[in-house]
């Protein structure tokens, strides 16, 4: 069985199982899939196996998240840098 047909078979089985879930369990399944995807995107070994263009997309998305975090969280701006501490 080729890799493409294996993925196709897995997706078909997953679809059959998902359509029979209650809305609550479907949301749990979606949350879990989202968690797995995010986990993969932070795993360096996983990232290195991806094509360069795909890696760039994932890293750009992560950079946007961190930019939002640092813009909202101002405490880091109040910290002194090592250079400033050396000057004192």
């Amino acid at each position: 069985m080729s890799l493409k047909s294996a993925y196709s078979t897995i997706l078909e089985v997953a679809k059959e199982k998902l359509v029979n879930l209650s809305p609550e369990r479907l949301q749990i399944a979606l949350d879990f899939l989202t968690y797995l995807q995010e986990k993969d995107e932070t795993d360096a070994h996983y990232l290195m196996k991806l094509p360069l263009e795909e890696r760039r997309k994932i890293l750009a998305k992560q950079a946007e998240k961190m930019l939002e975090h640092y813009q909202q969280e101002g405490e880091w701006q109040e910290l002194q840098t090592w250079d400033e501490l050396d000057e004192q």
Side-chain angles (χ1 to χ4, degrees):
M1 181 184 300
S2 73
L3 190 58
K4 186 175 181 178
S5 66
Y7 281 137
S8 179
T9 302
I10 291 169
L11 288 173
E12 287 303 316
V13 171
K15 283 181 199 176
E16 289 172 15
K17 294 192 179 293
L18 288 171
V19 297
N20 294 318
L21 292 177
S22 68
E24 295 83 15
R25 290 192 180 260
L26 188 57
Q27 184 61 53
I28 292 169
L30 178 60
D31 292 344
F32 182 65
L33 290 172
T34 301
Y35 164 79
L36 289 176
Q37 180 183 15
E38 290 171 354
K39 187 79 172 155
D40 278 348
E41 290 177 356
T42 59
D43 179 19
H45 294 291
Y46 169 81
L47 284 173
M48 293 308 294
K49 293 177 184 177
L50 294 175
L52 182 59
E53 191 59 36
E54 188 65 27
R55 276 186 274 168
R56 286 182 175 154
K57 288 177 187 176
I58 291 170
L59 293 172
K61 186 169 64 170
Q62 290 175 347
E64 286 178 25
K65 283 183 183 179
M66 292 310 300
L67 178 62
E68 290 172 17
H69 169 75
Y70 282 115
Q71 286 174 337
Q72 293 171 2
E73 188 66 41
E75 184 178 323
W76 67 271
Q77 295 173 342
E78 298 169 9
L79 298 174
Q80 291 182 320
T81 65
W82 287 107
D83 292 337
E84 291 172 341
L85 290 174
D86 287 340
E87 292 173 2
Q88 291 179 356

